[in-house]
Amino acid sequence: MEWIMAVAIGALFMIGVYLILTKSLLRVILGTSLLTHGVHLLLLTMAGLKRGAAPILGSGSESYVDPLPQALILTSIVISFGVTALFFVLAYRAYQTRGTDDIDGVDAEGKEADS
C-alpha cells in the first residue's frame, strides 16, 4: 500500500514541477497547488498512517494515534489555500495590466517583447 502513495506523491511532484516550468501564470499557480498537495500526502505517508485507539489517554487505552501530523497538514492546507488565492489575484491583476498571462510575452511597459 505504501508504494501506491509513493507513486501518487511522485506523480504530483512531477506534474507540479512541469507546470511550474511553463510560461503561463495559471499553469504556474496550478503547479504550486499540486506541489502542496504532494507535500500533504508526503507528510501523511511519513507519519505512517497509524491505526489505534482515539487520542484520549484513559484507563483502558494502550495505543493511540499521533495527532501532530494531522494538525500540521490541516495548517498547511489553510496556508496553501491563502497563498493560492493571493496568486490568483496577482495573476488576474497582471492579466488586466498586460493583457496576457504569458510570463515572457510582454515586458514591464506593456510592449511586445522581441522574439
Side-chain angles (χ1 to χ4, degrees), residues 57-75:
L57 295 177
S59 61
S61 62
E62 296 175 0
S63 62
Y64 62 94
V65 178
D66 186 17
L68 182 63
Q70 296 170 10
L72 289 175
I73 292 169
L74 183 62
T75 305

Side-chain angles (χ1 to χ4, degrees), residues 23-26 90-113:
K23 293 184 179 183
S24 173
L25 281 176
L26 290 178
L90 291 176
Y92 181 68
R93 180 67 180 146
Y95 180 76
Q96 281 183 332
T97 304
R98 297 175 149 195
T100 183
D101 71 336
D102 189 21
I103 294 173
D104 293 334
V106 178
D107 62 2
E109 286 82 28
K111 301 174 190 170
E112 290 292 327

Side-chain angles (χ1 to χ4, degrees), residues 14-24 27-28 30-31 34:
M14 179 180 60
I15 295 168
V17 168
Y18 174 76
L19 288 175
I20 285 177
L21 294 176
T22 60
K23 293 184 179 183
S24 173
R27 288 185 180 189
V28 170
L30 291 175
L34 285 177

Side-chain angles (χ1 to χ4, degrees), residues 1-13:
M1 187 64 158
E2 290 85 17
W3 67 272
I4 295 174
M5 292 291 281
V7 169
I9 293 167
L12 284 174
F13 274 100

Side-chain angles (χ1 to χ4, degrees), residues 23-96:
K23 293 184 179 183
S24 173
L25 281 176
L26 290 178
R27 288 185 180 189
V28 170
I29 294 170
L30 291 175
T32 57
S33 178
L34 285 177
L35 275 178
T36 58
H37 288 304
V39 170
H40 298 157
L41 281 178
L42 181 66
L43 285 174
L44 190 64
T45 304
M46 294 306 292
L49 296 172
K50 299 176 184 173
R51 299 175 188 194
I56 300 172
L57 295 177
S59 61
S61 62
E62 296 175 0
S63 62
Y64 62 94
V65 178
D66 186 17
L68 182 63
Q70 296 170 10
L72 289 175
I73 292 169
L74 183 62
T75 305
S76 178
I77 288 170
V78 171
I79 291 171
S80 67
F81 176 73
V83 169
T84 304
L86 176 69
F87 282 166
F88 276 131
V89 168
L90 291 176
Y92 181 68
R93 180 67 180 146
Y95 180 76
Q96 281 183 332

